[in-house]
Amino acid sequence: MQFERPLVPLLIAAALTVVSVVLALRLTIQTGFESLLPSSRPSVQELNRVAARTAGVSTLFIVLEGGPNTPTTALRQAGDALVPALAAVGAPWVGSVEDGVHEARAFLSPRAGLYAETKDLEGLRDDIEARYAYEVNKATGTLLDESEEPPALDAESIKKRFKLGTEATPDRFPDGYYQSKDGKTLVVAVRSKVIGSDFARGSEALRRIREAVARVNPASFHPEIRYGFGGDLQTGISEFAAINADLTEVGLFGAALLAGVVFLYYLRIRTLFAMLITIGIGVAWTFGATELLIGHLNMATGFLFTIVAGNGINFSIIYMARYLEARRDKVPLAEALDLARRETFRPTLTAAAAAGAAYGSLGVTEFRGFRDFGVIGGIGMLLCWIATYLALPSILTWMERLLPLDREAKGVWGRIQRATQGGLAFGRPFAALAERAPRLLTVLGVAVALAGGAFVVFYVKSDPMEYDLRNLRTDASARAEEIRLSTLAEQITGYVGTDGMAILVDRPEQVEPLREALYAKRDAAPPGEKPFEKVHALQDFVPAAQAEKIPILEEIKQKVLKAHRRGVLPDADWKTIEEVLPPDDLKPFGIQDLPAGLARAFTETDGTRGRIVYISPTEGQTVDDAHYLFRWANAYRRTVLPDGSVILGSGRAVIYADMWAAVIDDIPPAVLLSLLGTVLAVLVAFRRGLPSVYVLAALLVGIGWMALALVVMKVKLNFLNFIALPLTFGIGVDYAVNIVQRYTREGTGGAMAAVRETGGAVVLCSLTTALGYMALVRSNNFAVRSMGVAAVIGEVTCLFAAVIVLPAALVWMDRKRA
């Protein structure tokens, strides 16, 4: 039908492609690690529950930095001017703005004494009374010689005796401002109801806030003042934009590599055009189907565009190679199309089935990063194969009608066409090598493969997992300034929850039993293996025994006032002392009475307070060390309280620990299923017999070489490059299948013909697949890069096994038979 009515298949393909493109444009990218785990995991469910109660509030820091001559007052004036200007932006873009703990300071300072122990307050009361009597007696000359001088009465001594124990003490923040100790940096903190993962609304919030800051113009308060932005709102938008840019750059780079190598092989624009159109159709169908079946992409599947294109174009390459070979032999168009279909249908379908089995082996795993990857890749192989045999013959037919392939051009262009009509002979160097020393190459290839199998045992025993999480994240060098400002702002403001993990209890009454249970786990840990540092709750800001402390504080106040009137207290200290004296109407307070600025990190989206608990990491430990992260996660992922209730914890630590557990559980069955699926596809294609043995033996040699390369290069395995292991079976077998298929058609002695003719296309297939993976090496994400490296290693080793060791072994056997 493609020859007689080529328009019909093209119209069908075009209609499906248009619909697929519309669907594919609706795909979103989920950037969190939790998107790689199944939603049924308790850690994911708990994370979603906590996020629903605590998310919706993100932080943006405007960091004002002065120069060596910038006075502290200028930074404060700029910060004070920014607060009302940013507040005027309004919800949901700006929920609250503050340049210090002024609200908390005003509340906590006069109540500072309530945080001291009762016995310390009684001691302070008695010391004030003793000092007052001492000073009066000294002034009136009635002081006895043996009288011992009581403790001094000044601002410093009173503050120390009060033991101000809150996170927001007046001492931490100079005059209540978020300002560095040297006075050269001041932070304005904005809370927004827009979260960083919402790219559209987050970008709009940033735009409005930036405009407000520009209108205030902090430099107008002093020419040395400059400003920048940090915080999770800025980070979320920047990372999302970086991932989108990364996907685009990697995709374009991969497409350029594919187009370049295909053109280099065929040296014909028309051939390149036909094949790019065909693979474009297949990729469009793949991601249109992805939107229908999955609805989103994640860190693992976002880069499948280049991988599917690099794998899927192989079917077109094999078909095109046989078609052009027939046309060079003067076979008519219709017959050449039919011949190419008949002779490539089985090997390409076998390759598609084997690759689909490799991808499909990932589709049955629990780890969603693998499962989605497997589903998309498996469907992609099938759809690219269908696109090849539906659209490519029709495209070639139209091209022949518009510009016949056998029409010779005149002059220089004609000579170039005749010289390059067969493209570059990618397979001939390998054929010459295999023909020269078949026995040596066969023995050497098998020996290296066996060595790889032996060494991989020691490799596995050495635990080759990647535990440095910095090697799994996006390269942050392009955002170094933003990260510096975020870190600086977090250090100055001391915002809770930056590195802490959150737990959401059911009732506030569960906080204290939970705290006791968690501290019991921490204290029971062996020396040097403490899983976390401290548990933070809003209840920390509500002192105990307030009713019994208030009368003592009232006595202290009266005695301090009397001492001040008498001149016992230094006048320079009076302002500081006056700030911490209790008000006349001092009364007990609870978590509901705390100011919003103080309680914000512990307040849920509906205003509920007192159910959020944060667990901060152990001092000196890095959260980038997976070993520590697992220990931290196990300490709080599940806690049983004395009343039998169970409190679940989640967050980055638990999510990452569950990711590794899922990967380790899923890889062995995925690898085994991929191998079984590949073997079955080969047996069905060749109906058992020696050809199946040849193909599978070549595959095992390639896998052995790959194992040895991973060991020698000391490649660390992670949740992404693990994917290369099962994929290598299904995709790597493709090359041996095509060589053996051509060898069996040629008969005894056809090994060299298979490598010279089909081998060139096989090399091209491997190059397109490898380049699809190689494009990943340009990614900004280190885990994606590692996947590209591991997959390229598998591609190269399986290709060399198919075009060097396999033909060498076939030549050796043919010569022995002769």
Side-chain angles (χ1 to χ4, degrees):
M1 182 175 72
Q2 283 102 329
F3 175 70
E4 297 175 355
R5 288 176 294 179
L7 188 60
V8 174
L10 286 179
L11 289 176
I12 295 173
L16 292 174
T17 302
V18 170
V19 174
S20 297
V21 169
V22 172
L23 291 172
L25 291 175
R26 291 162 46 183
L27 283 170
T28 57
I29 301 174
Q30 297 182 353
T31 58
F33 278 150
E34 68 276 6
S35 66
L36 302 177
L37 286 170
S39 57
S40 59
R41 277 265 177 171
S43 57
V44 176
Q45 292 178 341
E46 182 63 16
L47 181 68
N48 292 334
R49 184 178 82 91
V50 174
R53 302 295 300 176
T54 62
V57 178
S58 58
T59 304
L60 179 70
F61 297 121
I62 296 94
V63 183
L64 305 177
E65 295 183 286
N69 300 316
T70 307
T72 298
T73 54
L75 284 170
R76 293 180 179 181
Q77 290 169 359
D80 291 340
L82 283 173
V83 170
L86 292 170
V89 174
W93 321 111
V94 173
S96 65
V97 191
E98 54 197 13
D99 61 352
V101 294
H102 308 298
E103 184 183 14
R105 180 189 177 94
F107 181 86
L108 292 176
S109 291
R111 295 168 176 82
L114 292 173
Y115 294 92
E117 297 292 335
T118 302
K119 62 179 181 179
D120 293 327
L121 293 177
E122 292 172 342
L124 176 62
R125 177 194 59 192
D126 296 342
D127 287 345
I128 294 174
E129 179 65 28
R131 186 73 194 188
Y132 179 80
Y134 177 86
E135 293 292 344
V136 169
N137 291 334
K138 182 179 179 181
T140 58
T142 59
L143 185 67
L144 300 178
D145 294 338
E146 64 271 15
S147 298
E148 183 178 352
E149 183 176 354
L153 184 60
D154 54 23
E156 190 65 26
S157 63
I158 291 177
K159 285 162 59 178
K160 286 183 178 179
R161 299 294 293 274
F162 269 10
K163 295 182 179 179
L164 305 177
T166 69
E167 294 285 339
T169 64
D171 290 325
R172 173 167 186 173
F173 305 104
D175 296 327
Y177 283 92
Y178 290 141
Q179 196 162 20
S180 60
K181 292 181 179 180
D182 63 2
K184 299 302 181 183
T185 304
L186 186 138
V187 179
V188 178
V190 176
R191 290 282 187 166
S192 173
K193 281 292 182 181
V194 179
I195 59 177
S197 58
D198 187 340
F199 183 71
R201 287 164 56 82
S203 299
E204 178 62 17
L206 281 178
R207 185 189 67 80
R208 291 171 181 253
I209 291 171
R210 287 177 181 274
E211 287 181 352
V213 174
R215 284 195 295 270
V216 171
N217 187 17
S220 63
F221 295 87
H222 193 278
E224 289 183 343
I225 296 179
R226 63 188 188 279
Y227 64 89
F229 298 87
D232 52 60
L233 179 61
Q234 177 69 51
T235 298
I237 299 303
S238 297
E239 287 186 346
F240 195 91
I243 289 175
N244 277 335
D246 197 21
L247 288 173
T248 302
E249 182 179 348
V250 169
L252 292 176
F253 181 66
L257 289 178
L258 292 179
V261 74
V262 170
F263 178 73
L264 183 62
Y265 180 77
Y266 292 108
L267 294 175
R268 287 182 179 271
I269 297 294
R270 62 154 64 197
T271 304
L272 174 65
F273 179 77
M275 296 179 68
L276 291 182
I277 291 286
T278 303
I279 192 58
I281 292 172
V283 171
W285 291 358
T286 298
F287 288 93
T290 298
E291 207 287 329
L292 294 175
L293 296 175
I294 300 175
H296 62 267
L297 300 173
N298 56 43
M299 286 179 60
T301 59
F303 295 87
L304 265 170
F305 287 92
T306 57
I307 296 174
V308 169
N311 291 171
I313 201 173
N314 293 351
F315 313 128
S316 299
I317 290 172
I318 299 298
Y319 181 95
M320 183 68 77
R322 189 66 188 96
Y323 164 76
L324 291 177
E325 184 181 347
R327 293 294 285 148
R328 287 197 299 271
D329 292 338
K330 306 303 181 183
V331 177
L333 173 62
E335 188 177 340
L337 292 172
D338 185 60
L339 181 65
R341 178 189 59 79
R342 285 188 287 106
E343 293 191 1
T344 64
F345 189 87
R346 184 195 295 181
T348 55
L349 183 58
T350 302
Y359 282 109
S361 67
L362 297 172
V364 300
T365 60
E366 182 193 16
F367 186 52
R368 198 162 73 181
F370 288 171
R371 190 182 63 210
D372 291 355
F373 195 101
V375 169
I376 298 171
I379 291 175
M381 293 303 97
L382 175 63
L383 293 177
C384 287
W385 184 86
I386 293 174
T388 297
Y389 287 89
L390 175 67
L392 185 55
S394 297
I395 294 173
L396 294 174
T397 300
W398 274 103
M399 285 184 171
E400 285 281 352
R401 292 180 179 180
L402 295 173
L403 188 63
L405 187 65
D406 54 6
R407 188 182 69 175
E408 293 188 3
K410 297 180 180 180
V412 176
W413 183 245
R415 289 195 296 272
I416 293 175
Q417 282 187 337
R418 289 190 293 274
T420 61
Q421 62 177 347
L424 294 185
F426 284 178
R428 291 183 182 177
F430 299 104
L433 184 62
E435 190 174 22
R436 178 172 300 177
R439 182 169 60 180
L440 175 63
L441 291 175
T442 303
V443 173
L444 186 61
V446 173
V448 172
L450 292 175
F455 277 110
V456 80
V457 175
F458 298 100
Y459 181 60
V460 172
K461 287 184 177 180
S462 68
D463 190 8
M465 304 301 178
E466 178 59 82
Y467 292 104
D468 188 347
L469 302 190
R470 291 171 297 183
N471 294 330
L472 303 179
R473 298 202 183 106
T474 299
D475 187 352
S477 58
R479 298 189 297 109
E481 177 63 10
E482 173 192 318
I483 294 173
R484 182 189 72 83
L485 292 176
S486 295
T487 303
L488 180 62
E490 289 165 2
Q491 291 172 347
I492 292 175
T493 61
Y495 267 36
V496 177
T498 300
D499 264 335
M501 299 297 167
I503 297 178
L504 181 64
V505 300
D506 297 324
R507 304 180 306 278
E509 297 78 24
Q510 294 175 314
V511 169
E512 287 309 314
L514 174 64
R515 192 200 303 267
E516 293 175 5
L518 290 173
Y519 280 147
K521 291 182 183 180
R522 183 197 65 180
D523 298 338
E529 296 185 11
K530 188 165 65 173
F532 60 88
E533 187 70 35
K534 192 175 180 181
V535 178
H536 306 268
L538 187 59
Q539 285 81 348
D540 295 338
F541 295 95
V542 180
Q546 297 182 57
E548 66 181 60
K549 294 176 184 176
I550 288 177
I552 303 174
L553 286 171
E554 290 176 345
E555 287 186 61
I556 290 174
K557 179 179 180 180
Q558 296 306 318
K559 293 181 182 300
V560 168
L561 291 174
K562 185 171 68 171
H564 176 58
R565 289 193 295 269
R566 183 73 181 180
V568 174
L569 294 175
D571 292 336
D573 290 354
W574 176 245
K575 180 180 179 181
T576 302
I577 295 173
E578 190 177 27
E579 284 183 353
V580 299
L581 292 179
D584 295 333
D585 60 347
L586 181 64
K587 59 184 179 180
F589 64 90
I591 57 176
Q592 299 303 326
D593 302 312
L594 294 170
L598 189 63
R600 187 169 290 118
F602 302 91
T603 304
E604 299 169 41
T605 52
D606 62 356
T608 303
R609 292 182 173 186
R611 300 199 306 160
I612 302 174
V613 176
Y614 291 98
I615 305 178
S616 59
T618 305
E619 186 175 352
Q621 295 283 356
T622 172
V623 294
D624 291 324
D625 179 6
H627 291 103
Y628 170 68
L629 212 59
F630 297 160
R631 192 163 70 246
W632 189 10
N634 292 332
Y636 77 94
R637 70 158 63 240
R638 189 177 188 273
T639 306
V640 180
L641 301 185
D643 63 0
S645 57
V646 177
I647 304 298
L648 299 179
S650 190
R652 180 156 51 98
V654 178
I655 290 295
Y656 192 79
D658 283 359
M659 278 175 51
W660 260 133
V663 167
I664 293 173
D665 290 342
D666 287 341
I667 277 297
V671 170
L672 181 60
L673 187 59
S674 173
L675 180 59
L676 292 176
T678 301
V679 171
L680 181 61
V682 172
L683 292 177
V684 170
F686 291 101
R687 297 177 179 85
R688 300 183 299 278
L690 284 177
S692 299
V693 176
Y694 300 154
V695 171
L696 295 177
L699 175 63
L700 291 178
V701 169
I703 296 300
W705 288 11
M706 178 186 183
L708 184 60
L710 292 175
V711 173
V712 171
M713 297 175 64
K714 297 181 180 180
V715 174
K716 292 289 187 179
L717 299 179
N718 58 59
F719 64 91
L720 267 186
N721 63 17
F722 252 143
I723 294 175
L725 302 181
L727 288 188
T728 299
F729 292 129
I731 297 172
V733 80
D734 181 7
Y735 316 126
V737 165
N738 286 285
I739 293 293
V740 172
Q741 175 72 18
R742 182 64 180 262
Y743 170 76
T744 56
R745 189 171 72 244
E746 295 285 343
T748 302
M752 291 302 96
V755 180
R756 289 192 188 97
E757 297 295 337
T758 304
V762 167
V763 173
L764 178 59
C765 289
S766 179
L767 282 174
T768 57
T769 303
L771 290 175
Y773 288 129
M774 194 176 294
L776 303 182
V777 179
R778 285 181 58 89
S779 171
N780 289 322
N781 185 276
F782 295 117
V784 174
R785 291 182 192 176
S786 70
M787 177 188 169
V789 170
V792 168
I793 291 173
E795 274 298 306
V796 172
T797 58
C798 287
L799 171 66
F800 284 176
V803 298
I804 297 177
V805 180
L806 175 59
L810 294 176
V811 169
W812 186 20
M813 288 187 297
D814 287 345
R815 289 180 181 178
K816 289 184 68 175
R817 291 194 193 102

